[in-house]
Amino acid sequence: MELKIFKDKNEVAQQFSAYFSELVEGKSVFHVALSGGSTPKIVFDVLADEFSVKIDWSKIHFYWGDERCVPPTDDESNYKMTVEHLFSKIEIPETNIHRILGENNPQEEAKRYGALLEDRLPSQNETPQFDLVILGMGDDGHTASIFPHEIQLWDSDKNCEVAIHPDSGQRRVSITGKIINSAQEVAFLVTGTGKAEKVEVIIEKIDGYEVYPASLVHPDSGNLVWFMDKDAASGLN
Ligand code: 6PG
């Protein structure tokens, strides 16, 4: 596990974009699962505004680690956020974008998307393998859409599960721990003081850390990198 700590979220965005550009360099095809929420917005803005000429987008296939069960036009949609901050600014073939269909029946979509991953991704030990999975972490220690109150979903033998947000009750389709931990690379993007307590507990393995899904991210053979700003890392020794 590697910790990369920067002064603020803009520097996190700059440094992550350079890391992403280097990962993609020289690859003929690159399969990446994106995270949602708000942290990726500045990262996608930097990727699009400052790295668009450096990156051959045509070889990158975009997927999501999780999606809210809403239409793609809904402000809650991770796909909509990604269009606004990234896809609307770069030349990316539609056929390279594999969104989770939030407008569909959640259970059916979890099944469909899980099968799509089987079809499109290379396999590692009979598990679909992403080149990169980008993750956020909630203030409650959730990641993708695996929440502490449903942490058993992490160990599902399925590729995708339907999760329920603990506060809003919103349903979400999420990839599971087996997909996350089979990835070649996993990168956390975590910024802000609101994350500091869980970052400390999880990274320093303080008693009880195992109740947080983000603590279960341990790629089987791949690399794990935490991109953080000083605020999120403020509890670390
Ligand atoms: C989502 C995300 C989720 C997110 C965390 C952190 O759909 O909301 O995939 O896992 O990464 O909740 O969100 P912020 O980056 O907005 O704090």
Side-chain angles (χ1 to χ4, degrees), residues 1-236:
M1 168 164 67
E2 187 181 357
L3 307 182
K4 290 179 178 282
I5 301 168
F6 302 106
K7 68 176 184 305
D8 57 24
K9 63 183 182 180
N10 186 59
E11 193 180 6
V12 168
Q14 296 284 339
Q15 296 289 337
F16 174 81
S17 297
Y19 157 87
F20 182 81
S21 178
E22 284 161 26
L23 276 186
V24 172
E25 185 70 36
K27 296 268 178 38
S28 55
V29 65
F30 192 84
H31 300 282
V32 55
L34 302 176
S35 60
S38 58
T39 301
K41 292 176 181 174
I42 186 170
V43 177
F44 294 167
D45 286 338
V46 169
L47 262 178
D49 299 345
E50 300 180 34
F51 284 77
S52 57
V53 294
K54 294 188 181 82
I55 293 172
D56 175 1
W57 300 104
S58 67
K59 62 186 180 179
I60 303 178
H61 284 262
F62 290 95
Y63 308 75
W64 277 264
D66 64 317
E67 180 60 278
R68 291 82 181 274
C69 294
V70 295
T73 51
D74 190 302
D75 285 344
E76 277 284 296
S77 165
N78 288 332
Y79 167 76
K80 182 171 188 267
M81 180 272 286
T82 311
V83 169
E84 287 169 358
H85 291 272
L86 181 59
F87 295 155
S88 58
K89 306 178 199 172
I90 62 174
E91 291 296 315
I92 181 83
E94 277 298 312
T95 49
N96 286 37
I97 298 171
H98 312 283
R99 73 178 179 89
I100 297 172
L101 306 179
E103 65 274 29
N104 280 5
N105 170 280
Q107 288 297 345
E108 289 171 12
E109 182 55 18
K111 197 170 172 188
R112 184 197 73 86
Y113 204 69
L116 181 143
L117 300 182
E118 294 284 345
D119 292 345
R120 300 199 61 91
L121 297 183
S123 179
Q124 164 94 345
N125 299 330
E126 298 178 357
T127 301
Q129 183 180 49
F130 280 106
D131 293 291
L132 171 64
V133 171
I134 303 172
L135 295 173
M137 185 192 72
D139 294 359
D140 62 356
H142 82 261
T143 194
S145 277
I146 309 288
F147 294 92
H149 76 294
E150 291 181 312
I151 195 165
Q152 75 283 357
L153 294 180
W154 180 270
D155 292 318
S156 169
D157 59 5
K158 296 178 188 156
N159 295 340
C160 295
E161 285 279 6
V162 177
I164 298 178
H165 191 283
D167 302 324
S168 65
Q170 182 187 66
R171 284 182 293 177
R172 301 185 170 186
V173 173
S174 179
I175 58 175
T176 55
K178 63 180 251 189
I179 297 294
I180 292 171
N181 284 335
S182 78
Q184 295 256 24
E185 289 272 328
V186 179
F188 270 110
L189 293 177
V190 182
T191 61
T193 50
K195 311 293 173 77
E197 190 261 337
K198 293 299 183 298
V199 164
E200 179 187 2
V201 168
I202 288 167
I203 287 179
E204 297 188 358
K205 296 189 180 345
I206 294 171
D207 289 354
Y209 73 95
E210 302 94 336
V211 302
Y212 304 117
S215 75
L216 303 177
V217 177
H218 290 293
D220 305 328
S221 57
N223 297 322
L224 171 58
V225 188
W226 287 73
F227 285 84
M228 292 183 279
D229 65 0
K230 280 185 173 160
D231 286 344
S234 56
L236 298 179

